[in-house]
Amino acid sequence: MTVRSLHLPVAAQPSVDSFVELAALGERYGYEYAWLPETWGRDAVTVLTAIARETDEIGLGSSIVNVYSRSPALLGQTMTTLQEVADGRLRAGIAPSGPAVIEGWHGVEFERPLRRTREYLEIMRAVMSGETVNYDGDIFSLSGFRLRCDPPSEPVPIDAAGMGPKSVELAGRFADGWHAIVFTPEGLENRLEDLRRGAELGDRAPEDVRVTLSVTACALENGARARRLARQHLAFYVGAMGTYYRKSLARQGYEEAATEIAAAWANGEHDRAVERIPDAMLDDLGAAGTPERARKELRKFERIDGVDDVAIGFPRGADRDEIDATIEALAPER
């Protein structure tokens, strides 16, 4: 059975308390997880700690923290501590992110992202086991240390995010779950084949790798407003966030539209970039419109065999009332 979760806003919020309130609202409405992204706003660790202190049941997770700005040992320590604070409700989501963030914001060369992700997975698990860590990888070598506290009583599952065939295969082979974003139903099914192949290479059952799909959603009585917000959000990701999303959409049959959106955005024609998103593309990638329409669109993702969790995300331009309305309209029991 597919569960429904929250992918908390990537856009700036007024305060840490705003994130806590949204997660608490999600808990009240029965959402399974509150996933928190980390880009160049508030850090995920502090916010997740605050959420853990003010909630009791909803699962908590990072989706995602990158594998360049913190060492793998530090991430292992961090997730150990967060699991303690969260009373066993944590899942850790990691991924390379992309060159725009890693090089432009963190000032670190974006190199060997897949190998780096694999080594993070292995080192984090070693750290969180509580045993002495001895690791000799292509990128990292560690020896002689172990946690100076008890390891998590409830092991922390580590998920990996990715869009390309090789990154998804890596998640299937080495991670406890895969996080997907900006996928059409058909495109997701294609990548699920890569996930299954990775699981087989790792001598694992594909169903043991938990699949979380983040879907941009906006459910408002003013359906036109909801769809406009979703279009603006998609145009930003295709136009401003490097080539990853554009290449992914090209693989999914939207190469011409993605190229036009990116070109318009690069020329400063943001309104034109938004207008280049056809209705079919918008519906293929999200769930936006009136509450009735958004619920219908969301179900097409939940019906995909192999998807365990559909996490609703929110357009960057949505205000707090619009986010709250969407959370209520798309609550799991509805």
Side-chain angles (χ1 to χ4, degrees), residues 71-129:
S71 76
L74 177 58
L75 264 185
Q77 292 173 254
T78 299
M79 296 306 169
T80 294
T81 309
L82 270 175
Q83 182 71 310
E84 181 180 351
V85 176
D87 294 324
R89 292 180 284 147
L90 183 69
R91 288 187 79 95
I94 66 172
S97 186
V101 172
I102 300 308
E103 296 182 354
W105 181 245
H106 294 290
V108 178
E109 186 176 354
F110 187 77
E111 59 180 0
R112 306 186 71 183
L114 295 183
R115 181 67 203 184
R116 196 176 185 95
T117 301
R118 175 176 171 175
E119 294 197 11
Y120 265 70
L121 286 164
E122 293 170 343
I123 293 169
M124 288 174 67
R125 285 199 181 105
V127 169
M128 291 189 290
S129 74

Side-chain angles (χ1 to χ4, degrees), residues 2-216:
T2 304
V3 301
R4 201 172 290 183
S5 293
L6 294 182
H7 192 167
L8 295 172
V10 68
Q13 297 299 304
S15 65
V16 170
D17 286 343
S18 300
F19 288 99
V20 174
E21 290 165 3
L22 289 171
L25 184 63
E27 182 172 73
R28 198 175 314 140
Y29 278 113
Y31 287 89
E32 190 81 3
Y33 272 86
W35 298 106
L36 184 69
E38 182 180 78
T39 53
W40 53 91
R42 294 181 179 87
D43 78 277
V45 177
T46 305
V47 178
L48 284 170
T49 301
I51 293 172
R53 289 298 194 189
E54 299 297 328
T55 57
D56 298 307
E57 298 178 356
I58 193 168
L60 305 177
S62 56
S63 183
I64 51 87
V65 293
N66 75 74
V67 295
Y68 289 87
S69 60
R70 301 176 180 89
S71 76
L74 177 58
L75 264 185
Q77 292 173 254
T78 299
M79 296 306 169
T80 294
T81 309
L82 270 175
Q83 182 71 310
E84 181 180 351
V85 176
D87 294 324
R89 292 180 284 147
L90 183 69
R91 288 187 79 95
I94 66 172
S97 186
V101 172
I102 300 308
E103 296 182 354
W105 181 245
H106 294 290
V108 178
E109 186 176 354
F110 187 77
E111 59 180 0
R112 306 186 71 183
L114 295 183
R115 181 67 203 184
R116 196 176 185 95
T117 301
R118 175 176 171 175
E119 294 197 11
Y120 265 70
L121 286 164
E122 293 170 343
I123 293 169
M124 288 174 67
R125 285 199 181 105
V127 169
M128 291 189 290
S129 74
E131 301 298 321
T132 300
V133 178
N134 292 295
Y135 185 87
D136 185 17
D138 291 349
I139 300 173
F140 296 99
S141 294
L142 292 76
S143 64
F145 287 87
R146 59 180 294 178
L147 282 175
R148 296 182 71 177
C149 60
D150 291 335
S153 55
E154 183 71 27
V156 181
I158 310 174
D159 300 343
M163 292 183 288
K166 289 299 182 182
S167 62
V168 178
E169 182 183 293
L170 182 146
R173 188 173 181 181
F174 298 107
D176 297 303
W178 170 48
H179 286 225
I181 190 170
V182 190
F183 276 99
T184 70
E186 183 178 356
L188 185 70
E189 288 172 348
N190 289 337
R191 292 288 76 79
L192 285 169
E193 293 178 8
D194 300 316
L195 188 81
R196 287 188 282 271
R197 182 173 61 254
E200 291 169 2
L201 288 170
D203 196 24
R204 313 164 71 195
E207 57 268 23
D208 291 339
V209 184
R210 190 178 192 274
V211 175
T212 299
L213 171 66
S214 178
V215 174
T216 300

